[in-house]
Amino acid sequence: MFFIIAVFVRIVMICVAHIVDTHSTTNKYTDTDYDVFSDAAHHVAAGNSPYARHTYRYTPLAAYVCLPNVWVHPLSGKVIFCICDIVLGLIYWSFVDL
């Protein structure tokens, strides 16, 4: 039951973030770092280094994780991060359940 609620809440929050980010001119729900990851993914998709973006200071893995933002949909990276969050929660829960 907790798993279903966790997935539902994340889906709702991705939708809320998208609505706020597209309709608000003063406030933004999505963190700036996600935009940096997405922009770095565009560099990687073009065959360049993610460090071609002058403010990129993260692991290149973050840019590669966000590559579906370029190929599929701009929200794909958020879905991937949410899936990873759910999987880690299940792993942690398995430690408690021992």
Side-chain angles (χ1 to χ4, degrees):
M1 183 67 178
F2 287 118
F3 175 75
I4 295 169
I5 293 170
V7 170
F8 178 74
V9 166
R10 281 162 181 79
I11 291 170
V12 168
M13 294 312 294
I14 288 173
C15 294
V16 167
H18 180 66
I19 291 168
V20 170
D21 289 344
T22 56
H23 290 50
S24 177
T25 57
T26 57
N27 296 325
K28 200 168 175 206
Y29 186 87
T30 303
D31 188 44
T32 302
D33 291 334
Y34 183 75
D35 294 332
V36 173
F37 296 156
S38 296
D39 190 46
H42 284 278
H43 287 288
V44 170
N48 300 320
S49 168
Y51 297 104
R53 187 185 202 286
H54 69 281
T55 59
Y56 194 77
R57 61 184 186 278
Y58 308 97
T59 176
L61 182 61
Y64 285 99
V65 167
C66 287
L67 275 174
N69 287 356
V70 178
W71 298 328
V72 181
H73 192 275
L75 298 178
S76 299
K78 291 181 182 184
V79 172
I80 292 170
F81 288 132
C82 287
I83 290 170
C84 291
D85 186 42
I86 295 289
V87 168
L88 284 173
L90 290 172
I91 291 170
Y92 292 156
W93 190 258
S94 73
F95 292 154
V96 173
D97 200 31
L98 291 177

